[in-house]
Amino acid sequence: MITKNGNDILSLDDWRRLAPPKRDYQWKDNFSAKETARVWLAASPRLPPEIETLLEGHSAFGRPELWSAEPEARIRFDAFRGEPRNTDLLVLAKDLHGNYVIAVEAKGQESFGATLAGQSKAAMERKRQNPRSNGEERIKQLKVAIIGARVDDRTSVDPLRYQLFTATAGALRAAIDHDCSRAILLIQELVPAVKRVARYVANAADLDAFVALLTRGVITKVVYDRLEGPIRVPVSFLFPAVPDLYIGKVKRDIA
């Protein structure tokens, strides 16, 4: 079941009305917001088949017995004011091992956005204009929570994508909030007939670099249809109890 604020979502019109993307222009063919809705609604009441296959291929998961999903789920993983993490689709599921969450980060032709270096520079500028801005402290807390003592390794950290840090934090916080011991960060690629190959190559490189640092080089590549984990991030101020983290990537041809 796909719902938003207690309302069932049964059609594309429902999805757009109840859980629109941040910007109206993002709701169009071949972009992740609309194509995510199309793929998940077509599969319901089951999960999309590529995601079921992904789950069943890992010993820590089984066929989902129950699941529900919320599009555009807002997840606050720290105490700072401002915009919370916006997860494209948050899935609460149950299998023979118990309950878990899937935080879906959908990608059509979009990138993973700014690097940590770029985000930090922007936060410094906001702080200069408004001394009450908490952007710099938010980034610092986030880096410590996800990669721990390696926060000062600027050569490794600065080129990484800020969105992957917030997506991971959102998945972990959702698992904690829903009393789940497992959290999946799932990259769902929605590939149109005419695609920018360079974008998918760049996104793959960004994800691989992030996971390599997260696992201290144990995992250097995230391949399609294989769930990696468990990955354990350090205990921190943001996450005093840390669920097992899994990261995976699936692809759907939407041509």
Side-chain angles (χ1 to χ4, degrees), residues 1-10 14-15 17-19 69-71:
M1 182 67 70
I2 304 170
T3 64
K4 186 70 176 181
N5 298 326
N7 298 294
D8 292 349
I9 295 177
L10 303 174
D14 289 344
W15 195 301
R17 176 173 52 86
L18 296 169
E70 178 191 359

Side-chain angles (χ1 to χ4, degrees), residues 167-229:
T168 300
L172 292 171
R173 172 48 58 186
I176 293 169
D177 290 346
H178 292 280
D179 196 27
C180 298
S181 61
R182 295 168 294 162
I184 298 173
L185 173 59
L186 177 65
I187 311 303
Q188 184 175 27
E189 292 185 355
L190 305 160
V191 184
V194 179
K195 56 184 179 291
R196 292 181 288 173
V197 175
R199 169 63 66 213
Y200 294 95
V201 172
N203 282 353
D206 287 333
L207 181 61
D208 290 346
F210 175 73
V211 173
L213 185 68
L214 201 61
T215 63
R216 297 180 181 267
V218 174
I219 302 168
T220 58
K221 190 172 183 61
V222 180
V223 301
Y224 291 112
D225 304 323
R226 188 173 76 197
L227 201 56
E228 302 290 356

Side-chain angles (χ1 to χ4, degrees), residues 10-60:
L10 303 174
S11 68
L12 285 176
D13 287 342
D14 289 344
W15 195 301
R16 185 179 188 182
R17 176 173 52 86
L18 296 169
K22 285 185 179 181
R23 298 169 183 84
D24 191 62
Y25 71 81
Q26 295 173 318
W27 186 266
K28 60 183 179 180
D29 293 346
N30 297 332
F31 276 65
S32 61
K34 187 174 184 179
E35 296 301 343
T36 298
R38 204 190 307 273
V39 166
W40 281 78
L41 287 169
S44 186
R46 298 186 63 167
L47 296 178
E50 62 272 24
I51 297 177
E52 287 192 347
T53 299
L54 179 83
L55 294 169
E56 293 169 11
H58 196 290
S59 60

Side-chain angles (χ1 to χ4, degrees), residues 85-154:
R85 163 67 187 166
N86 215 67
T87 295
D88 292 331
L89 192 70
L90 180 65
V91 182
L92 308 180
K94 179 181 180 180
D95 62 13
L96 74 165
H97 304 292
N99 298 327
Y100 62 96
V101 301
I102 307 174
V104 178
E105 183 66 28
K107 293 297 175 192
Q109 299 288 307
E110 305 94 340
S111 73
F112 285 115
T115 63
L116 272 175
Q119 195 73 18
S120 296
K121 183 178 180 180
M124 290 173 62
E125 178 60 24
R126 289 195 300 272
K127 184 77 169 181
R128 187 184 67 80
Q129 297 179 10
N130 176 12
R132 299 177 62 186
S133 174
N134 293 308
E136 288 183 286
E137 186 61 28
R138 167 173 279 171
I139 293 170
K140 181 179 178 181
Q141 281 191 10
L142 188 57
K143 289 194 291 187
V144 169
I146 301 301
I147 58 176
R150 289 162 289 168
V151 67
D152 294 324
D153 185 356
R154 298 182 63 83

